[in-house]
Amino acid sequence: MLQPATSTLTRTLTVAQGIFAPGHLGELTKYLPFELVDAVLAETGAVQRRLRVLPSRVGVYFLLALGLFPHLGYAKVWDKLVAGLAGLPVAVPSEKALRDLRRRLGPVPLKSLFEVLAGPLAQPRTPGARYRHWRTVAFDGCSSIKVPDAERNRGWFGRARVRLGWAGYPTLRLMALVETGSRGLLGAAFGPTSHGEAHYARQLMHLLGPQSLVLADRGFDNGKLLAEFAGTGAQFLVRLTSKRRLPTTHRLPDGSYLSRICSVQVRIIEADITATCTDGTRLHDGYRLVTTLLDPDQDPSDTLVRLYHERWEIESAYYALRHTLMQGRVLRSTDPRGVEQELWAQLTLYQLLRTAMVDAVESVPGTDLDRASFTIALEAARDQVVAAHGVLDEEAGLVGRIGQAVLAHLLPARRPRISSRKVKSPIPRYARTDDRRPLNSTKIASITISVHAAQPTTPAFVSRRHPFPPPA
C-alpha cells in the first residue's frame, strides 16, 4: 500500500531575547522598533525598576495588541502575541498581572509614542496629497467614542443627554488634524464633550505652518479661530454658516468677493452645486466658503469648491478608527487614566497601519492613496502578529506582507456617488427631513458649479451699533 507523500515546513523567526520575546507587533514592529520604545520609556520614566517576566517594553506592545483585537480579553490577546513563539519559554501571566502592567505604564509613554509617530506620511508628488505647493490638512471632531459607565469616567466626561433622557455611556470628544491625502494623523487631542471643537483645535494649532492648507466645515466658522489659523502662516478654506454676513470690500471677476474677518483679508465664494445622477435625479446644494487664497486667476472659484470636498477624507479617517479598528465598541477602561492610555494606543496603532499602507501604495508610482483598503491592512497586520512574522526581518523590503496584501486588493478608482444619509437609531439624535437623495448609492453623471455674482459693495468698516448693512 502506497504511503501518502509528506512534506515538512520549517521557518525561522527572529524575535527579542528571553522575557522580551512577547513584546512585538508582527510586521508593524519595523515601524515601532524596540529602540524607539525603550527610548520613550526611559524619557518618560516608565522603565521597570526590577526586571520581571513582564517588562515595560512588552507592556507597550501588549497595549497596542489590545487595539488590534478589541473583541478579546487580556488573556486571549496575550495568547495572540505568543502564538507564533512555540518552543520559546514565554510567560503565562494572569489577567490581573496584565492589568497591573497597564497601571504601571500609565498614559504618558503612549502619548509620547504617538507624538513621535504623528506627522505627514505622503510624499509631495503622491497623488491627492497637495493642492499646488500646499499640503492639504483637515480639522474635525468626533464625539461618538464611548467609555464605560463607571463613576470615575462620569466624573471627568459627564453624562450625555439625548432627546428622551440620558445616554447609556459617557462619550469623549476627539479632535484630529489629518493629512487628507494619506489620512495620516498630524496630531490629536481629546477630553470631555463639554468643551467645543474650537477648544481642542487650538491645542493642535502649533502643527500648522506656511506649507499647510486647512480645510474645515461650518463648525469652525469662528472669526477668532480663523484669525488664529491665518496667524500660523497657513492658508485655509472653510465653509461658512448661512447666518454669517460679511461686508464686501472688492468684487472679483469670477463672482467671488473680498472681505475681512478679524482684520484678516479673506475671499468669499458663494456657489450653487447641481449633481445629476445616472438615473436622472438632480440634486441641489449651496456652498459659502471663506479662504485666504485671494487671487481668482491662480485659484478659480470652481476649483476651490471642488477642493473643499477633500475635507471629507477626515470622515473616512474617523470611520476607519472608530468602526473598522475599534469595531464601534465601548473602550475597556473604567477610569480616566486608563481611557487616556487606551485612546493614545489606538491612535498610535492607527498611525502605524496608515504608514504601512502609504509605503505600499507609493511603491507603485501614480497610484492614488484612496485605493488602499484599511480593512485589508488591518487583517494582514493581525495575521502577522499571530504568526510573529517580520518582527526583526532585516531582509524585508519596503513593502512587506501587509503592503503586498494592500497592493493585491487595491480598491477601484473612486467613483462619484451619492445616497441618502441613513439614521438607524430608533430614537435619532437629530430629526432629519427628506433630502430627496436616492436611498441606494447612485453614480453621479455630472456636477455643475455656478458661482453667485458678488453682492453690492459695502464699507469694510461699519459702526458697532449696526455692524452689517440692512438686507436689500
Side-chain angles (χ1 to χ4, degrees):
M1 183 175 179
L2 296 177
Q3 296 293 327
T6 61
S7 59
T8 302
L9 296 177
T10 60
R11 63 190 184 114
T12 302
L13 296 176
T14 306
V15 295
Q17 188 175 8
I19 59 175
F20 292 95
H24 70 90
L25 211 61
E27 195 174 87
L28 291 178
T29 310
K30 72 176 184 179
Y31 299 107
L32 188 65
F34 302 147
E35 296 81 3
L36 174 58
V37 175
D38 290 342
V40 168
L41 289 171
E43 182 180 347
T44 57
V47 180
Q48 66 282 340
R49 296 182 180 180
R50 289 183 292 172
L51 196 58
R52 302 183 183 183
V53 295
L54 292 177
S56 296
R57 184 209 293 174
V58 173
V60 170
Y61 288 105
F62 171 71
L63 277 166
L64 296 173
L66 287 176
L68 275 177
F69 304 99
H71 58 292
L72 298 179
Y74 286 9
K76 292 297 183 182
V77 172
W78 180 264
D79 290 344
K80 297 289 185 183
L81 286 175
V82 301
L85 306 179
L88 295 180
V90 294
V92 185
S94 65
E95 292 203 348
K96 180 183 183 304
L98 293 171
R99 287 195 299 271
D100 291 343
L101 177 62
R102 281 194 60 187
R103 295 191 185 98
R104 190 168 74 239
L105 282 174
V108 177
L110 277 301
K111 180 181 180 181
S112 298
L113 272 181
F114 171 76
E115 291 174 346
V116 170
L117 297 171
L121 301 177
Q123 298 297 321
R125 295 184 181 275
T126 302
R130 287 179 177 257
Y131 171 71
R132 291 175 57 194
H133 60 274
W134 292 290
R135 187 184 301 275
T136 53
V137 299
F139 267 117
D140 203 5
C142 172
S143 56
S144 61
I145 298 178
K146 300 175 182 179
V147 301
D149 187 25
E151 182 177 355
R152 286 176 289 182
N153 284 341
R154 289 195 301 270
W156 186 29
F157 298 109
R159 299 183 66 187
R161 181 179 289 278
V162 293
R163 294 181 64 191
L164 299 180
W166 298 99
Y169 297 95
T171 58
L172 59 82
R173 189 185 303 280
L174 170 65
M175 173 61 59
L177 179 63
V178 169
E179 179 186 41
T180 59
S182 66
R183 303 179 188 85
L185 297 172
L186 279 68
F190 58 87
T193 55
S194 55
H195 296 301
E197 291 184 338
H199 170 82
Y200 295 107
R202 287 187 170 93
Q203 298 180 27
L204 306 177
M205 203 76 71
H206 65 282
L207 301 172
L208 302 177
Q211 299 301 315
S212 305
L213 172 56
V214 181
L215 309 177
D217 64 12
R218 287 173 285 196
F220 293 83
D221 179 11
N222 179 296
K224 292 183 179 179
L225 187 63
L226 296 178
E228 291 178 40
F229 284 162
T232 66
Q235 307 294 329
F236 62 75
L237 178 64
V238 177
R239 191 172 181 182
L240 294 174
T241 60
S242 58
K243 296 181 180 180
R244 179 182 280 276
R245 301 182 62 189
L246 295 168
T248 303
T249 60
H250 183 70
R251 302 184 191 185
L252 298 174
D254 65 343
S256 60
Y257 58 94
L258 300 182
S259 185
R260 301 192 76 83
I261 294 180
C262 290
S263 76
V264 177
Q265 189 174 31
V266 295
R267 175 179 166 206
I268 309 298
I269 301 170
E270 300 184 12
D272 287 328
I273 303 172
T274 302
T276 303
C277 301
T278 53
D279 62 357
T281 304
R282 292 170 64 88
L283 302 168
H284 304 275
D285 199 357
Y287 276 178
R288 296 183 72 228
L289 303 177
V290 58
T291 181
T292 47
L293 303 176
L294 306 179
D295 190 342
D297 293 330
Q298 290 187 325
D299 306 294
S301 293
D302 60 341
T303 300
L304 295 183
V305 171
R306 293 178 185 273
L307 175 64
Y308 175 76
H309 187 73
E310 294 294 315
R311 187 205 72 80
W312 284 93
E313 301 296 348
I314 194 171
E315 304 291 352
S316 300
Y318 277 133
Y319 187 90
L321 175 68
R322 177 75 181 95
H323 296 281
T324 307
L325 182 58
M326 300 172 62
Q327 298 180 355
R329 294 176 179 269
V330 180
L331 296 183
R332 303 171 186 262
S333 306
T334 58
D335 64 274
R337 278 175 55 85
V339 169
E340 286 187 69
Q341 181 193 64
E342 189 175 353
L343 194 51
W344 287 124
Q346 292 283 0
L347 295 170
T348 301
L349 180 59
Y350 172 90
Q351 188 74 350
L352 293 172
L353 289 165
R354 284 294 181 192
T355 305
M357 294 166 64
V358 171
D359 282 353
V361 173
E362 288 185 339
S363 69
V364 183
T367 305
D368 198 306
L369 294 172
D370 291 342
R371 300 186 60 192
S373 169
F374 189 86
T375 300
I376 294 295
L378 175 60
E379 292 301 325
R382 287 170 173 164
D383 292 342
Q384 306 317 306
V385 168
V386 175
H389 184 274
V391 177
L392 288 172
D393 190 355
E394 298 180 355
E395 298 181 358
L398 181 65
V399 179
R401 297 194 179 189
I402 297 175
Q404 292 171 7
V406 170
L407 294 177
H409 300 87
L410 287 175
L411 301 173
R414 179 168 290 179
R415 300 156 291 166
R417 295 173 292 172
I418 196 168
S419 65
S420 179
R421 187 176 181 181
K422 300 179 179 65
V423 180
K424 296 182 179 180
S425 172
I427 305 177
R429 187 177 178 185
Y430 303 104
R432 299 188 61 84
T433 57
D434 182 14
D435 57 6
R436 300 181 60 190
R437 299 184 182 186
L439 293 178
N440 298 318
S441 180
T442 305
K443 186 176 180 180
I444 297 175
S446 64
I447 296 177
T448 304
I449 299 174
S450 302
V451 179
H452 295 181
Q455 62 184 6
T457 304
T458 55
F461 301 98
V462 292
S463 69
R464 292 178 178 271
R465 186 172 183 180
H466 301 288
F468 299 115

